[in-house]
Amino acid sequence: MSMSSKTDSVADAAETAEVGAGAAGGGHTSSGTGSSRWRRAALGAVIPVVLLIIWAYVTNSGMVAQSKLPTPQSVFSAGTSLFADGTLMTHIGISVQRVLLGFVIGGVLGLVVGSLVGLSRVFSEMFSPLIGALRAVPSLAWVPLLLIWLHYGENSKVTLVAIGAFFPVFTTVASGLRHVDKNLVEAARAFGYTGLRLLRTVQLPAVVPSIFSGLRLALAQAWLFLVAAELLGASMGLGFLLTDSQNNGRTDRLILAIILLAVLGKITDALLGLVERWAERRWT
């Protein structure tokens, strides 16, 4: 019997055993998973609810001036007012679009350059010092240069977000690929895997956790850099809403923008977490 036939037989047997085990304990596992999810959700809601109660108490009782910290009711009222005239959804839609575009561009570039640096000593020696220096540049330092080069349009804002998303992906991918098991790579080469095929089927799947760790950091960076981009030269978006609310003394809208940024950041991170779990089941 050939080696590939033996491998297929082992894989089929393992799959059959796994399916059988799942069928035997499927009801219990599903129930346990469901209760565990509800437990995590309940625990995660404790601190936000407590903070909301404290916020409502200190503002409604007069302990803190509402000009500095508005009540939860006034923030909710500001949100419903902006939602009613369509402004709120426009701000949210534009900001989400900028984040997703910049995140995809920066993530893809980080994956490509990180792969080159992680797999090639020559590329590592060429690019690592420069990228390491650029990574230390604060986000606001890029704004004047991008405004000069790309002006006040969407290109400058998306580019700034892409810059923020690039570095975490590059760092984690390059570091992960440097530490891939050499025996695994040599075994794959013995079966004829080279170049992009080796990278796609062996090396990248081996660093899936590192890739998604970088992607989640990149997504957080994308939201941070978005606010920096929209603080200057924007007429719409949540960053603009922050600045406009500050200039007009609308603390209720300012708090609303901060809450929306937090909620949207958590939602997008949770969605990326779902993709991460799918990728781990698929490749690890």
Side-chain angles (χ1 to χ4, degrees), residues 56-277:
Y57 175 76
V58 300
T59 52
N60 285 295
S61 65
M63 294 177 62
V64 177
Q66 293 190 18
S67 59
K68 294 183 178 180
L69 181 64
T71 63
Q73 301 95 301
S74 62
V75 173
F76 180 79
S77 177
T80 55
S81 176
L82 289 173
F83 179 81
D85 63 16
T87 306
L88 183 62
M89 296 310 297
T90 302
H91 286 308
I92 292 175
I94 289 177
S95 289
V96 170
Q97 175 181 292
R98 289 166 178 163
V99 165
L100 293 181
L101 284 174
F103 172 69
V104 170
I105 294 171
V108 170
L109 289 176
L111 181 62
V112 172
V113 180
S115 298
L116 292 174
V117 170
L119 296 174
S120 170
R121 184 182 299 273
V122 174
F123 275 100
S124 178
E125 293 174 352
M126 288 175 60
F127 285 98
S128 292
L130 175 62
I131 295 177
L134 293 177
R135 185 171 49 197
V137 177
S139 59
L140 288 176
W142 293 102
V143 173
L145 182 62
L146 291 176
L147 291 179
I148 292 174
W149 285 353
L150 302 174
H151 307 293
Y152 286 95
E154 288 298 302
N155 290 340
S156 60
K157 298 172 182 58
V158 173
T159 301
L160 184 60
V161 174
I163 290 172
F166 169 83
F167 292 107
V169 178
F170 162 80
T171 302
T172 54
V173 170
S175 177
L177 287 174
R178 290 193 190 103
H179 296 89
V180 173
D181 187 353
K182 294 182 179 180
N183 293 327
L184 177 65
V185 175
E186 291 301 323
R189 284 175 175 161
F191 281 96
Y193 287 79
T194 57
L196 287 177
R197 188 184 180 195
L198 176 65
L199 175 66
R200 187 179 67 253
T201 59
V202 176
Q203 292 167 311
L204 285 181
V207 295
V208 164
S210 296
I211 292 175
F212 277 94
S213 176
L215 287 174
R216 298 184 85 158
L217 289 173
L219 185 59
Q221 282 282 94
W223 282 106
L224 292 174
F225 275 58
L226 170 81
V227 174
E230 291 183 341
L231 285 175
L232 297 174
S235 58
M236 294 298 294
L238 294 174
F240 167 77
L241 182 61
L242 282 170
T243 306
D244 185 65
S245 301
Q246 178 190 12
N247 294 336
N248 294 313
R250 293 298 304 268
T251 316
D252 52 349
R253 293 186 176 183
L254 193 152
I255 298 295
L256 173 66
I258 293 174
I259 293 173
L260 287 173
L261 285 168
V263 171
L264 290 171
K266 178 58 181 176
I267 290 173
T268 52
D269 181 74
L271 292 175
L272 186 58
L274 294 176
V275 178
E276 178 181 6
R277 285 194 287 274

